[in-house]
Amino acid sequence: MIELNDVSKSYNNGRVKAVDALTLTVRPGEIFGFLGPNGAGKTTTIKLIVGLLRPDAGTIRVDGIDNQKEPVAAKAVTTYVPDTPAIYERLTGLEYLNFIGDVYGVPKADRLRRIEKWLDIFELAGAVSSPIQSYSHGMKQKIVLIAALLPAPRVMVLDEPMVGLDPRSAHHMKEMMRTHCDGGGTLFFSTHIMEVAEKLCDRIGIIHNGRLIAHGTLEELRARDREDQSLEKIFLELTER
């Protein structure tokens, strides 16, 4: 579970309000899609959840853990994929995965089994012995995703996870997301791909100018006057107001 209670974050000495009094709950077993225009506050919200930024006000709990009071414990149950892969590029793919396994304390037997499974699914086994700096953007995205899956986390936070993935890998990614939540995990992800959010998410939140302007199931977002509208049309209508 992810719980944000009245969370705010400003930049430029308070002159730019990136996140404004955000209150939101993402339940176990739920894929929650987080949508918004560029600069709306999506990535700032995600960095607040995973502990890369400190809120100016409010509280954030991840799997019941206050991520400001117990930051290491909160990070131990969470994995995060940023919008731009940030990795140690002089390591080989396998060295990087083993490094992540060490950080999270993944037992060796589980580690080997999971690495083999995900390398096969994402078709990266042939490149895992090469330095990451030789990878294409899509390959880097795959190795970061495998690293996020390696600890079998309870909470996954993904910022634009489909960017750079080929169609087959994107399909496997969506299957993984569903399986993760069907097993009781929590998944929070941002995307600009409305079709993915519409088909995959249990609930959706739309942020604009730092404020949550709508959230709920697709049926709830449609309401009575939007019964036949796509998520894209609803998004455009709400963010143009």
Side-chain angles (χ1 to χ4, degrees), residues 197-199 201-204 216-223 226-227 229-232 234:
E198 187 167 348
K199 293 178 181 178
C201 296
D202 300 303
R203 285 195 305 139
I204 293 162
T217 64
L218 182 57
E219 290 72 21
E220 289 169 343
L221 292 177
R222 280 175 172 152
R226 305 192 192 104
E227 290 180 0
Q229 287 191 19
S230 66
L231 178 59
E232 182 179 42
I234 294 169

Side-chain angles (χ1 to χ4, degrees), residues 19 22 24-26 28 37 64 74 80 101-102 104 124 133 138 152 221 228 231 241:
V19 176
L22 177 60
L24 179 67
T25 298
V26 183
Y80 165 55
D102 288 341
Y104 279 90
L124 208 59
Q133 63 187 0
L221 292 177
D228 299 321
L231 178 59
R241 290 178 179 174

Side-chain angles (χ1 to χ4, degrees), residues 7 9 63 67 75 84 124 130 134 160 171 178 202 238:
V7 172
K9 178 65 179 178
D63 201 35
N67 77 344
K75 288 179 173 68
T84 302
L124 208 59
S130 300
S134 69
E160 295 285 350
H171 172 73
R178 185 73 271 167
D202 300 303
L238 290 171

Side-chain angles (χ1 to χ4, degrees), residues 93-105:
L94 187 58
E95 288 171 338
Y96 176 69
L97 293 176
N98 276 309
F99 166 70
I100 297 298
D102 288 341
V103 169
Y104 279 90

Side-chain angles (χ1 to χ4, degrees), residues 68-82:
Q68 298 304 304
K69 294 180 179 178
E70 300 179 82
V72 175
K75 288 179 173 68
V77 298
T78 308
T79 56
Y80 165 55
V81 174

Side-chain angles (χ1 to χ4, degrees), residues 59-130:
T59 58
I60 303 166
R61 301 182 73 84
V62 179
D63 201 35
I65 304 165
D66 188 313
N67 77 344
Q68 298 304 304
K69 294 180 179 178
E70 300 179 82
V72 175
K75 288 179 173 68
V77 298
T78 308
T79 56
Y80 165 55
V81 174
D83 55 346
T84 302
I87 30 184
Y88 300 106
E89 296 201 349
R90 294 193 178 185
L91 297 179
T92 67
L94 187 58
E95 288 171 338
Y96 176 69
L97 293 176
N98 276 309
F99 166 70
I100 297 298
D102 288 341
V103 169
Y104 279 90
V106 181
K108 186 174 181 180
D110 292 338
R111 183 185 310 188
L112 293 174
R113 176 172 50 81
R114 292 171 190 170
I115 288 175
E116 183 178 3
K117 171 188 172 181
W118 292 112
L119 286 175
D120 181 59
I121 287 173
F122 284 107
E123 300 177 330
L124 208 59
V128 76
S129 297
S130 300

Side-chain angles (χ1 to χ4, degrees), residues 186-204:
T186 300
L187 196 147
F188 183 103
F189 83 107
S190 72
T191 183
H192 285 298
I193 308 172
M194 297 295 155
E195 294 83 357
V196 170
E198 187 167 348
K199 293 178 181 178
L200 192 61
C201 296
D202 300 303
R203 285 195 305 139
I204 293 162

